[in-house]
Amino acid sequence: MLWKSRKTSRRSFVAAALLMAFAAPQMPAVAAAAGRVPETPSAGAPAEVPPQVPAPTGKQPVGTRTLHLVDTSRPDPWKPAAGKRQLMVSLWYPARHQGDRNAPFVSKELSKQVIGKEDLAGIRTNSTLGAAPARKPRPLVVLSPGFGMSRLTLTALGEDLASRGYAVAAVDHTYEAPVEFPGGRIETCEICAKPDMAAVVRNRAKDFSFLLDRLTAPGSPLAVDRDRIAVVGHSVGGASAVEALRGDKRVDAAVNLDGDFPVDPPAGAVNKPVLLFGAQRAGHMENWNKNWQLLTGWKRWLDVPEGGHMTFTDVPWIADRFALRDQLPPDQVAGAYGSLHGTRSTALTRAYVNAFVDRHLRGVPSPLLDRPSAAYPEVTFMKKP
């Protein structure tokens, strides 16, 4: 979600409206309409193919598992009565073998929290649940969702990165969105009514550092290359990714997917690679213009004029499948989704994020980051040094 200012109030309203359709099950009219799916076919009729996360573009089989982590060094900042800070994390990684037991996209219970119905639980992923990770240490990419959004909204990107040889960890920031813990316990958003976005960014950076402590320590569930780490975030997750790049020396690069900065970093404090990848930014450049000057390392500012704030997540293809676009007022659809369909949104997000991490974690340059591409005419170069 975006926070309000004179330049971003329209986008703030769009994001809030999308959350009503995607992350607020207590609104039954929205939830009921969002669950439009064909009825069970009659006897003799062909069975409908279940919806599936877009297939990864890499060649390596993908495994997945879920972590429940407890940071014993700090109480939860949003709900101190809950005790120590707890996080849920999805891991995707190159697996030794591809199995036939694909992980569920989401449980029925969390689906009901997200759209008010169980339909999202029918989505198939491309990851083998519990598959043994490949033994070779891999560059690590940490993913952070937008405010009010679940980590599941970055599944297509996470699986794709893993299929291309990266270890990936997507983190849910507890009490900023519905989060399901082991045993079926679901914690809802404690601060959605009145969030302090500057505090959210600072706290997410602490979540990232704690996660890196666990994933780079002996006994880590993944074989991680400690010297090659990037953080990629959507919306406030993107601003938080840049904050992690500034504050944690282990982070080598960051991608901000259409997230304004609630607090400007100190001048010259971010001298590592940053990709700003936004949508419709030509009409509201003030926040990124100001922060662009403070980024002193390798940097690019790309824009998708035909996209929307949710272009960089799984929301567009989910919305296509479950008619969620219909739940927004017509004058807000463009700001949330733009005119791009979900499959195209997924393709261009994957392409440019992969190009960025390949360049800065593997040293493999890509022309996508140097000049406009005929393969992705939707992407405009706004700025480069």
Side-chain angles (χ1 to χ4, degrees), residues 240-249 251-254 269-270 272-274:
S240 303
V242 177
E243 177 65 15
L245 183 67
R246 183 191 71 82
D248 193 319
K249 63 182 181 180
V251 181
D252 301 298
V270 183
K272 302 177 190 176
V274 175

Side-chain angles (χ1 to χ4, degrees), residues 240-315:
S240 303
V242 177
E243 177 65 15
L245 183 67
R246 183 191 71 82
D248 193 319
K249 63 182 181 180
R250 295 171 293 186
V251 181
D252 301 298
V255 180
N256 180 347
L257 300 172
D258 207 41
D260 280 356
F261 295 89
V263 176
D264 302 328
V270 183
N271 59 0
K272 302 177 190 176
V274 175
L275 172 62
L276 303 180
F277 197 11
Q280 303 181 38
R281 284 275 160 179
H284 48 94
M285 298 176 63
E286 181 178 343
N287 182 271
W288 275 16
N289 262 333
K290 183 178 181 181
N291 283 271
W292 176 262
Q293 307 304 322
L294 304 176
L295 306 176
T296 58
W298 185 102
K299 58 185 177 181
R300 295 289 187 273
W301 176 346
L302 308 181
D303 189 67
V304 186
E306 299 175 41
H309 187 53
M310 295 297 157
T311 286
F312 311 99
T313 73
D314 287 2
V315 175

Side-chain angles (χ1 to χ4, degrees), residues 17 48 54 113 120 130 140 168 184 242 288 302 351 360 366:
E48 182 190 7
Q113 282 288 328
L120 297 184
L140 173 65
V168 184
V242 177
W288 275 16
L302 308 181
H360 297 293
S366 169

Side-chain angles (χ1 to χ4, degrees), residues 30-106:
V30 169
R36 295 179 192 162
V37 293
E39 296 180 359
T40 303
S42 59
E48 182 190 7
V49 176
Q52 186 164 8
V53 176
T57 61
K59 297 181 179 179
Q60 300 190 43
V62 178
T64 188
R65 61 173 295 189
T66 301
L67 296 182
H68 174 206
L69 302 178
V70 181
D71 185 352
T72 58
S73 70
R74 59 186 173 125
D76 193 280
W78 311 134
K79 191 176 181 180
K84 300 302 183 181
R85 180 70 167 165
Q86 298 186 48
L87 301 174
M88 291 302 298
V89 179
S90 290
L91 303 180
W92 296 285
Y93 48 85
R96 298 181 197 175
H97 304 286
Q98 183 72 56
D100 56 4
R101 187 183 171 213
N102 282 14
F105 181 70
V106 64

